[in-house]
Amino acid sequence: MTLTRTPIRAAVLTRAGSGLEIQDLHIDEPLPGEVRVRTLAAGLCHSDLHYIDGTLAIELPAVLGHEVVGEIVAVGEAKARHRIGERVVITISPSCGLCSSCVAGRATQCERSGELRQRERPKLTDARGAPVNLLGSIGGFAEELIVRESAVVPIDPAIPAREACLIGCCIATGFGAVVHAAGVSPLDAVAVIGCGGVGVAAIQAAKIAGARIIVAIDVHQAKLDRARSFGASHTLLSTDGLRDELELICPGGVDKSFEAVGSPHTAAQAFEILARNGTATILGLEKPGSRISVDAELLIEGDRKIRGAYMGTNQLPRDIPALISHHRSGALLLDRMVTSRWRFEEINEGFEAMKQADSIRAVIEW
Ligand SMILES: [Zn+2]
Ligand SMILES: [Zn+2]
């Protein structure tokens, strides 16, 4: 069988700690159940950065990037669910729609997601024909990508691509954690630790959900200043005396806390600032083998809870119409979350910009 493979350019990680290299690769045709997407914009996420600096391991060479919006250019079969020309957001958690998690509305915990990422031949190959790995089977830092139909959700093309791409990771995670995982209500006092993309999305979602108090917590004053403009009612610099300072704002602690940093220390902090019966939702990805330590007395005698919410337990096909409504009404600010914009070729500069204290999201555009 002869394979038609299309030449594309992609930013490839060949060695941890060395930045990304723009290379000429070849992309396959979509198989039945898949679509090929021309990338329009991609957000640079801290998870990508963790692979670049080697904090998290991935088989190399690899194309990273998972916060993507693009346009479908090819479908794998005539009766495809999506059409050529549709603008879509990519989700890192493809789902089968049929397993017990999926039918229970927990698509991010699909029991077949690993299987759905398997493929009979590589999506991407290098100049010598050797396979190139893809983060989450997406590989968004490339001119084109191939994903399962169940990993794309159509979106209103009126939203600029540089803003719409945020929906795929940081908005899905922050908004989903507040709405689906923690079920924030107007009765709740909320705290968000870490005011990057995910944290700012959680702050905005808490405001939309009507939380009575929203405390933004970060180590950078610049990020706290921005957090206020997204709906935080109070801000606190993260210090060892955090619990005492929070006591002045919210006696007894907060009802719902969210950790959007990705360290055992801040995860433990999220638990320690809870009121009785409160719930801490941990969002930041951590190194394999990490342990979060919590005070047993606070946990047991105070009926406190700590939980994960992978990708915000999002339900993207259902969430996107809501996100678009809130964006249209001005309640969900996407444009101001994009703190710097870069051309694809400038991707390494974009990752440098991300490290600045007042950065929320750097976005690359094609
Ligand atoms: Zn991400
Ligand atoms: Zn499933």
Side-chain angles (χ1 to χ4, degrees), residues 95-103 107 109-113 116:
S95 51
C96 73
L98 299 170
C99 72
S100 60
S101 292
C102 282
V103 297
Q109 294 300 327
C110 173
E111 290 152 24
R112 292 183 56 216
S113 63
L116 293 174

Side-chain angles (χ1 to χ4, degrees), residues 119-139:
R119 199 168 189 268
E120 64 191 45
R121 52 185 201 243
K123 290 179 180 176
L124 277 186
T125 45
D126 67 12
R128 294 172 294 116
V132 176
N133 192 21
L134 301 162
L135 176 59
S137 199
I138 297 178

Side-chain angles (χ1 to χ4, degrees), residues 43-48 66-67 92 168-170 173 198 285 311 361:
L44 309 187
C45 175
H46 273 94
S47 316
D48 298 309
H66 58 279
E67 190 174 85
I92 200 161
C169 180
C170 66
T173 305
V198 172
L285 292 186
M311 294 304 293
R361 244 346 178 228

Side-chain angles (χ1 to χ4, degrees), residues 116-171:
L116 293 174
R117 292 191 185 107
Q118 302 293 321
R119 199 168 189 268
E120 64 191 45
R121 52 185 201 243
K123 290 179 180 176
L124 277 186
T125 45
D126 67 12
R128 294 172 294 116
V132 176
N133 192 21
L134 301 162
L135 176 59
S137 199
I138 297 178
F141 298 151
E143 289 172 334
E144 293 192 5
L145 55 88
I146 289 174
V147 284
R148 303 286 304 192
E149 281 193 291
S150 62
V152 304
V153 184
I155 187 164
D156 182 355
I159 301 179
R162 63 177 178 276
E163 299 173 24
C165 67
L166 305 185
I167 290 171
C169 180
C170 66
I171 296 287

Side-chain angles (χ1 to χ4, degrees), residues 251-298:
V254 295
D255 305 297
K256 309 277 167 69
S257 66
F258 299 89
E259 191 269 357
V261 177
S263 93
H265 174 69
T266 44
Q269 264 186 336
F271 181 78
E272 284 155 17
I273 60 175
L274 289 176
R276 288 171 183 276
N277 206 38
T279 300
T281 304
I282 311 303
L283 301 171
L285 292 186
E286 304 207 9
K287 265 191 203 173
S290 293
R291 290 281 185 278
I292 298 167
S293 155
V294 298
D295 183 300
E297 192 181 330
L298 288 178

